[in-house]
Amino acid sequence: MLGRTLREVSTALKQGHITPTELCQKCLSLIKKTKFLNAYITVSEEVALKQAEESEKRYKKGHSLGDLDGIPVAVKDNFSTSSIETTCASNMLKGYVPPYNATVVQKLLDKGAVLMGKTNLDEFAMGSGSTDGVFGPVKNPWSYSKQYREKRKQKAHGENEDSNWLITGGSSGGSAAAVAAFTCFAALGSDTGGSTRNPAAHCGVVGFKPSYGLVSRHGLIPLVNSMDVPGILTRCVDDAAIVLGMLAGHDPKDSTTIQDPVKPFTLPTSADVNKLCIGIPKEYLAPELSSEVRSFWSKAANLFESEGAKVIEVSLPHTSYSIVCYHVLCTSEVASNMARFDGLEYGHRCDINVSTEAMYAATRREGFNDVVRGRILSGNFFLLKENYENYFIKAQKVRRLIANDFVNVFNSGVDVLLTPTTLSEAVPYLEFIKEDNRTRSAQDDIFTQAVNMAGLPAVSVPVALSNQGLPIGLQFIGRAFCDQQLLKIAKWFEKQVQFPVIQLQELMDDCSSDFEIEKLSSVSLKQ
Amino acid sequence: MAALMLRWSCLGKRWVLACIDGGSRHGRGAAIGLTSRRKRGQSSVAQQPLIAVQKSRKGEHEWAAVVGLEIHAQISSNSKLFSGSQVHFAAPPNSLVSFFDASLPGTLPVLNRRCVEAAVMTGLALNCRINKKSLFDRKHYFYADLPAGYQITQQRLPIAVNGSLAYSVSVGKKPSQVSTRTVRIKQIQLEQDSGKSLHDEPRSQTLIDLNRAGVGLLEVVLEPDMSCGEEAASAVRELQLILQALGTSQANMAEGQLRVDANISVHHPGEPLGVRTEVKNLNSARFLAKAIDFEIKRQIHELENGRKILNETRSFDDKLGCTMPMRDKEGKQDYRFMPEPNLPPLLLYDTASLPPGADPQQVINIDWIRERLPELPGKTREKLIQQYGMLPEHSFTLLNEVGLLEFFQNVIKETRAEPKKVTSWVLNIFLGFLKQQNLAVNESPVTPSALAELLNLLDRKAISSSAARQVMDMKRGNPRAINKLIGLVRKATLSRADPTVIKEILERKLSS
């Protein structure tokens, strides 16, 4: 049951094959079994069981709240959750219990979803590995998959397996791992430069970044307000559409959400791609791109072409400026957004009290890690009066050029862009930490970041396993507010590629003798 | 030198002379006699109103002072600028604080429509151009009562620009000589108020009250078109009356609803402007005038003694009557302005640009607001002058004293007496009485009806003018005045009435 998709399990709940409480308990038990993945910072067991119980009552009365009622979900720990600690994986917010729910969390709860817990991330979502949080790195469930282990056995004998686990990507690595390891059916991530799509690609799940303004940010602890969007991680595209349908729409608490009413996001079971025009941005053919990813990318293009779609090479000429531009805009907003963490109203406060200034300084030094402090310092530098024109204003202009690149391409008749999500499959942790956070973020976000600058919807869909037995994802980028069309195309593609299901049987057997999960190997994405 | 008194006369087109002469006022006004209004659009040099201070005895050359103001008016609104918290003066500490006001992470600003309307009204009343598109910015600084570490304001593109404010100052020896001046308004911007820090010195701790944090402010920036404390105080008073007439701010300085910062510099006429200082947090018109005049005097004194003026922020000590540098404002602040990313541009419409089918709840129509502007003080005075043949200075006094206009109008309604007589009685005898007793109009023991009745008696010649004055004197608490009244009654009754009965009746009447 746990390996099924949200839609499948929702049907099972409706038909009474399983009760919400049973489902919740199964997930809780799996969360415990997979604790070593470090996917969750907080497991809200009591709350979840209570919510499941209430859901069960509704089902018994025949008053189900819809597709999400009784469905276990997880939420990245940078979304405010009323009476559940919200840490952003930072010392600064350890012990901080928000008095309110983020709008997206409230919407999930209003639809009867069962909140399993808060997932791990890079501190304040600054990173691309989910390795830089105060609660430690998240381990990629695929490190323990049958597929990966078998490949490794063929190659290297005698290596210490435990020290060679893979990163999830980030910063929403906890959410991606939680969905990939079957501990929930959908998870919220956040996406500022690729933070939902990147770990989705590495963990073999669907990672969807909605159009900016489609989903409320109220309650999401910001990284870059003008680029942040709540992301959705699920096991298939259909599930992402279901969750999007629950979350999308105007929020009076977020003035940047669209006013127009949102139509439901139902995807057709069969789609016709022969009238589509798929754009392949030539600038995305980066030299660092692994040959495997490159080959899957080109196979995907061929697939569309063979089904009658028009596939053309397009140009997004300002792509190469995206990383630097992002760096300036991101750090500037970070410097501003982090100013509120001064130890006065909430969060960490140091013991020093000789003066207010000394208290601020020590609190912030103790509360933030090096990455956060580094970005605050850079950002404040860019915002200085003497630098503002040369950095911030220029970066804003470049951002406009980057956004216009997309507008031009879409105006030329392209329906969606097809690109890689990441340069390669997930790398081992020990490999990953050889480079610093800044270098890593710059490298890992290159295919995903420009989308945030332009506010466009994008989705990473798992395509196939690499030679090493690890997932590879490809990204579709759509026109602003054409989220449904984007998901429709992604769904068609997903159906064609038949991405294999992660086989965690061995892992489960290894780490638990009393684990009783249904035959995972039999679970497939087929509807 | 330090004891020098400086008196200012603030007239003239731009060359206004006054003297530092140890206290006497010679030369006041007489030296120039240029009383025409300063107009906008004069040459840029001429924009600077100067007050030339002649050191007549020493014959040193003149000084000119330049004063600009930044005025923060708290918007009269039920809720705060970006949150739903209520706004009340003197509520229990931290009882009016929303999650946004406390800057809880993840909260976002939502603009209060009422505050935008108040800004548009104020902008229109001050002859501003209303920007149909304005933007919000973050201004960063660390302060304990600024929970977010930044204030949301309108630095780049404010809601209203290029306005003007006409105000009057008395010139010459007689109070009747009123001269009208104009100060240009650079801009009006919407911004958030900060919270309040309460310093508990004995325990060496600071307590924070966030009730005020996030309350909407109108920052009105007046160009440096003024040249002395009196001008500045008069301009602020006029602005206060306008805001009160509009209902956009209660503008009560004592309650902090109107706060004034003054930028002051001195220079020699014809030379570039001097280094300016900023005197912050002036919370009464009297202190504003005093602080500015002190600061001008101080700067001249410093410069004449070969010292330099520092570009610094100073505060005014009302007990010592002097300004001094503010410690916590030392060093140059870089506010690291940045666009507020959580608020889309604020778009306003007029009837011509209103999108068809727009939800009236979602759009603000400038023309609609313009058509509904209440009568402004200038117009009220004009009407008083026309309707009652009042002198201009009387119209000013009627408006300047809180509640006096209403009192006057109520008396007028109930009396047959000549308006001129009513004006004279209200402004001279009644107001004199209040001033003497240190009472506000609404604390007066004399009701408008009582005064109206008295004036009716006077009008019917039932009592003489002197008797009427005696009645007022009685009201003033002069017990001996009753004897005079008894005498008058006895006289009127040809001594047939019993003085004891007369006294009883009079006392009863007067205490009613």
Side-chain angles (χ1 to χ4, degrees):
Chain A
M1 191 63 74
L2 291 188
R4 295 193 183 170
T5 67
L6 192 159
R7 169 145 293 169
E8 287 163 353
V9 83
S10 179
T11 309
L13 283 168
K14 284 172 195 160
Q15 293 171 346
H17 296 322
I18 189 167
T19 70
T21 309
E22 286 166 357
L23 189 60
C24 177
Q25 276 163 341
K26 277 176 192 280
C27 285
L28 283 169
S29 141
L30 189 49
I31 288 170
K32 281 174 197 154
K33 307 281 160 38
T34 57
K35 196 168 188 296
F36 64 95
L37 293 177
N38 207 13
Y40 288 82
I41 291 173
T42 305
V43 180
S44 46
E45 184 170 350
E46 266 180 50
V47 179
L49 285 169
K50 209 171 154 200
Q51 287 164 345
E53 203 180 304
E54 278 160 22
S55 169
E56 196 155 331
K57 280 183 202 157
R58 287 191 293 268
Y59 273 108
K60 274 182 186 155
K61 285 185 195 157
H63 295 155
S64 148
L65 295 171
D67 289 346
L68 276 187
D69 204 344
I71 304 288
V73 297
V75 171
K76 190 177 180 180
D77 207 22
N78 58 351
F79 286 93
S80 304
T81 42
S82 178
S83 65
I84 301 172
E85 189 180 353
T86 299
T87 67
C88 287
S90 175
N91 276 325
M92 190 55 96
L93 284 179
K94 258 190 195 168
Y96 168 65
V97 179
Y100 74 102
N101 277 325
T103 297
V104 284
V105 171
Q106 192 59 51
K107 283 188 169 183
L108 288 178
L109 297 180
D110 289 346
K111 295 288 178 185
V114 176
L115 179 59
M116 308 310 292
K118 305 295 291 291
T119 57
N120 205 346
L121 64 156
D122 290 298
E123 182 161 335
F124 282 103
M126 296 182 205
S128 59
S130 300
T131 52
D132 282 334
V134 75
F135 299 100
V138 186
K139 296 179 178 176
N140 192 327
W142 284 86
S143 322
Y144 310 94
S145 69
K146 193 176 162 197
Q147 292 103 323
Y148 178 62
R149 293 202 158 189
E150 277 175 0
K151 297 277 180 182
R152 279 180 49 78
K153 272 178 200 154
Q154 294 163 12
K155 282 183 189 168
H157 288 280
E159 253 184 72
N160 182 359
E161 290 199 345
D162 285 344
S163 68
N164 251 305
W165 55 269
L166 310 153
I167 58 139
T168 52
S171 64
S172 312
S175 289
V179 174
F182 306 122
T183 62
C184 62
F185 292 85
L188 294 184
S190 62
D191 195 313
T192 310
S195 279
T196 292
R197 290 159 286 158
N198 174 293
H202 285 331
C203 294
V205 297
V206 171
F208 174 59
K209 175 220 171 284
S211 295
Y212 184 87
L214 185 62
V215 178
S216 168
R217 293 178 294 115
H218 172 253
L220 166 61
I221 298 177
L223 175 57
V224 185
N225 297 286
S226 62
M227 299 185 208
D228 291 342
V229 284
I232 299 167
L233 296 116
T234 51
R235 291 203 267 278
C236 69
V237 176
D238 246 335
D239 290 356
I242 291 171
V243 177
L244 178 66
M246 306 294 180
L247 302 184
H250 179 67
D251 178 8
K253 291 176 181 148
D254 177 356
S255 310
T256 62
T257 49
I258 42 149
Q259 298 277 348
D260 315 329
V262 179
K263 291 176 221 145
F265 294 88
T266 42
L267 307 179
T269 41
S270 67
D272 197 358
V273 296
N274 66 23
K275 287 194 184 74
L276 286 181
C277 178
I278 312 285
I280 308 290
K282 62 176 184 190
E283 290 80 7
Y284 281 48
L285 196 62
E288 305 91 341
L289 185 63
S290 81
S291 57
E292 267 189 292
V293 176
R294 192 175 156 173
S295 129
F296 282 119
W297 184 19
S298 104
K299 277 183 194 160
N302 292 340
L303 176 65
F304 276 100
E305 209 162 38
S306 67
E307 290 296 319
K310 196 170 135 194
V311 178
I312 57 166
E313 186 186 87
V314 295
S315 174
L316 300 167
H318 297 95
T319 301
S320 61
Y321 306 108
S322 168
I323 297 290
V324 216
C325 171
Y326 177 84
H327 179 68
V328 175
L329 296 178
C330 171
T331 57
S332 299
E333 276 201 43
V334 163
S336 175
N337 289 333
M338 297 292 145
R340 69 188 57 215
F341 299 103
D342 56 13
L344 283 179
E345 278 83 15
Y346 43 80
H348 177 70
R349 188 193 293 188
C350 70
D351 295 328
I352 294 163
N353 59 3
V354 285
S355 74
T356 311
E357 285 73 19
M359 192 272 283
Y360 288 158
T363 295
R364 289 163 69 79
R365 161 146 263 297
E366 292 166 12
F368 295 135
N369 70 4
D370 289 351
V371 176
V372 179
R373 281 207 307 279
R375 290 201 194 183
I376 291 173
L377 288 172
S378 317
N380 277 318
F381 174 83
F382 298 135
L383 290 177
L384 285 176
K385 207 172 177 182
E386 72 216 63
N387 296 331
Y388 188 74
E389 281 283 327
N390 281 336
Y391 292 94
F392 192 83
I393 295 286
K394 273 201 183 138
Q396 276 192 317
K397 288 178 180 169
V398 173
R399 178 180 184 173
R400 172 66 64 190
L401 293 174
I402 291 168
N404 284 346
D405 280 354
F406 286 103
V407 172
N408 295 338
V409 163
F410 287 125
N411 282 348
S412 75
V414 168
D415 294 297
V416 285
L417 296 169
L418 172 63
T419 80
T421 310
T422 55
L423 288 166
S424 68
E425 73 276 72
V427 297
Y429 175 72
L430 293 175
E431 189 72 28
F432 185 81
I433 57 169
K434 281 180 187 162
E435 301 269 22
D436 64 25
N437 178 293
R438 164 138 166 65
T439 316
R440 275 295 180 189
S441 301
Q443 287 170 356
D444 297 341
D445 288 349
I446 66 163
F447 302 128
T448 48
Q449 197 180 68
V451 166
N452 296 75
M453 302 252 203
L456 305 174
V459 60
S460 176
V461 181
V463 179
L465 296 184
S466 69
N467 283 333
Q468 289 198 77
L470 292 175
I472 282 172
L474 290 178
Q475 173 179 239
F476 294 94
I477 303 168
R479 298 162 192 250
F481 297 106
C482 295
D483 299 55
Q484 177 158 14
Q485 190 203 22
L486 175 74
L487 290 175
K488 195 175 85 185
I489 296 164
K491 182 179 170 178
W492 177 86
F493 180 72
E494 175 187 63
K495 201 174 169 187
Q496 311 304 308
V497 297
Q498 290 292 312
F499 179 74
V501 168
I502 183 171
Q503 292 178 23
L504 288 174
Q505 191 73 59
E506 197 183 337
L507 154 76
M508 303 310 176
D509 292 344
D510 279 357
C511 65
S512 149
S513 53
D514 63 344
F515 184 68
E516 290 169 30
I517 189 163
E518 288 161 44
K519 284 177 281 174
L520 283 171
S521 53
S522 68
V523 176
S524 101
L525 289 173
K526 278 184 217 163
Q527 305 281 305
Chain B
M1 282 300 285
L4 279 184
M5 285 271 296
L6 189 61
R7 287 172 193 265
W8 302 101
S9 77
C10 308
L11 31 125
K13 202 165 177 183
R14 42 195 180 269
W15 302 93
V16 185
L17 298 173
C19 300
I20 296 182
D21 60 4
S24 79
R25 296 167 85 183
H26 66 200
R28 190 174 198 241
I32 357 108
L34 297 173
T35 51
S36 66
R37 283 176 58 168
R38 229 180 359 255
K39 291 199 181 84
R40 283 171 60 189
Q42 289 173 331
S43 76
S44 59
V45 180
Q47 291 291 2
Q48 301 307 331
L50 306 177
I51 178 153
V53 181
Q54 200 169 41
K55 307 215 72 189
S56 55
R57 275 186 302 219
K58 291 184 182 173
E60 286 171 26
H61 60 234
E62 297 160 345
W63 289 102
V66 174
V67 179
L69 299 176
E70 277 173 26
I71 299 162
H72 289 94
Q74 234 179 49
I75 299 170
S76 185
S77 160
N78 293 331
S79 57
K80 295 185 180 180
L81 181 55
F82 296 120
S83 79
S85 315
Q86 290 197 307
V87 179
H88 281 303
F89 180 69
N94 294 313
S95 62
L96 307 172
V97 186
S98 71
F99 301 149
F100 175 79
D101 304 329
S103 80
L104 291 199
T107 53
L108 299 169
V110 178
L111 185 57
N112 180 345
R113 181 192 174 95
R114 156 68 192 161
C115 293
V116 177
E117 287 170 341
V120 172
M121 282 176 86
T122 308
L124 291 172
L126 295 174
N127 314 301
C128 289
R129 194 185 83 219
I130 306 297
N131 280 325
K132 287 191 189 148
K133 177 182 168 185
S134 62
L135 303 170
F136 290 95
D137 304 282
R138 292 179 178 181
K139 175 182 178 177
H140 299 88
Y141 59 96
F142 280 103
Y143 209 79
D145 54 27
L146 186 74
Y150 56 82
Q151 175 198 36
I152 304 178
T153 178
Q154 294 195 296
Q155 190 232 0
R156 289 167 298 164
L157 196 50
I159 190 161
V161 292
N162 296 339
S164 65
L165 169 67
Y167 64 97
S168 295
V169 283
S170 57
V171 293
K173 284 172 188 150
K174 281 192 253 166
S176 61
Q177 282 175 273
V178 174
S179 161
T180 305
R181 308 275 158 79
T182 304
V183 53
R184 290 167 300 148
I185 287 165
K186 187 175 178 228
Q187 63 186 54
I188 299 175
Q189 62 200 50
L190 278 164
E191 62 183 36
Q192 297 172 297
D193 208 341
S194 64
K196 272 183 185 164
S197 295
L198 308 159
H199 301 289
D200 179 356
E201 300 291 352
R203 293 196 187 93
S204 76
Q205 60 180 3
T206 299
L207 301 165
I208 308 295
D209 177 7
L210 294 180
N211 281 353
R212 206 182 64 179
V215 171
L217 294 178
L218 295 172
E219 181 177 322
V220 183
V221 182
L222 305 192
E223 296 278 14
D225 294 346
M226 292 152 290
S227 53
C228 67
E230 194 198 338
E231 279 193 349
S234 302
V236 168
R237 181 68 188 122
E238 187 64 17
L239 177 65
Q240 202 176 18
L241 290 173
I242 291 172
L243 295 172
Q244 286 164 348
L246 294 170
T248 55
S249 172
Q250 288 171 281
N252 182 336
M253 289 186 90
E255 288 185 6
Q257 289 145 350
L258 197 74
R259 303 190 286 270
V260 183
D261 302 337
N263 289 299
I264 302 148
S265 70
V266 298
H267 65 287
H268 294 303
E271 290 178 16
L273 296 183
V275 174
R276 64 180 200 188
T277 60
E278 186 181 17
V279 183
K280 276 213 174 277
N281 301 328
L282 296 160
N283 58 6
S284 90
R286 203 160 55 90
F287 293 155
L288 168 68
K290 275 185 155 181
I292 290 171
D293 289 344
F294 174 87
E295 185 57 19
I296 293 171
K297 189 178 73 177
R298 185 190 70 85
Q299 290 187 10
I300 293 171
H301 183 71
E302 291 292 296
L303 293 167
E304 290 194 338
N305 285 283
R307 290 187 288 265
K308 278 186 177 164
I309 301 300
L310 301 174
N311 181 2
E312 64 184 355
T313 305
R314 301 175 70 88
S315 62
F316 180 66
D317 185 316
D318 53 64
K319 290 187 191 78
L320 299 174
C322 64
T323 66
M324 44 189 76
M326 284 171 88
R327 279 244 188 91
D328 58 346
K329 303 272 178 184
E330 268 171 24
K332 251 202 150 169
Q333 285 261 19
D334 189 322
Y335 291 118
R336 291 158 287 132
F337 283 101
M338 185 191 92
E340 167 55 64
N342 295 317
L343 289 166
L346 169 57
L347 300 179
L348 304 174
Y349 300 90
D350 53 25
T351 305
S353 66
L354 202 66
D359 177 359
Q361 286 304 307
Q362 293 297 324
V363 294
I364 289 177
N365 183 341
I366 301 165
D367 291 333
W368 195 88
I369 293 175
R370 185 185 283 113
E371 285 156 21
R372 282 159 187 79
L373 279 185
E375 182 178 285
L376 296 174
K379 183 74 186 167
T380 309
R381 287 191 206 102
E382 208 176 284
K383 277 165 81 175
L384 286 171
I385 293 165
Q386 280 178 1
Q387 226 173 318
Y388 305 119
M390 202 179 280
L391 292 171
E393 66 265 27
H394 291 160
S395 70
F396 273 98
T397 315
L398 271 185
L399 264 74
N400 277 343
E401 296 297 327
V402 177
L404 193 61
L405 176 64
E406 199 191 348
F407 187 95
F408 170 82
Q409 283 167 334
N410 286 335
V411 176
I412 284 273
K413 256 186 250 162
E414 294 186 33
T415 185
R416 287 184 303 258
E418 281 283 298
K420 276 190 176 170
K421 184 138 266 172
V422 178
T423 308
S424 159
W425 268 79
V426 167
L427 291 182
N428 299 324
I429 297 164
F430 174 69
L431 191 58
F433 154 66
L434 291 180
K435 292 263 146 108
Q436 193 191 36
Q437 303 290 311
N438 202 15
L439 292 174
V441 175
N442 64 3
E443 294 165 330
S444 163
V446 181
T447 62
S449 312
L451 185 57
E453 202 184 326
L454 188 68
L455 293 176
N456 280 344
L457 291 171
L458 191 63
D459 189 56
R460 287 206 309 267
K461 298 201 163 60
I463 57 170
S464 69
S465 168
S466 69
R469 278 168 195 271
Q470 296 304 329
V471 174
M472 283 301 288
D473 272 349
M474 262 307 291
K475 280 283 190 188
R476 272 185 221 188
N478 181 352
R480 272 177 306 172
I482 203 162
N483 296 332
K484 283 203 174 176
L485 284 176
I486 293 167
L488 287 168
V489 175
R490 276 176 63 80
K491 207 170 143 192
T493 56
L494 304 168
S495 301
R496 278 176 297 190
D498 179 351
T500 336
V501 178
I502 297 170
K503 195 177 180 209
E504 253 181 56
I505 295 170
L506 280 170
E507 278 176 348
R508 204 168 55 233
K509 286 265 177 201
L510 285 165
S511 63
S512 65

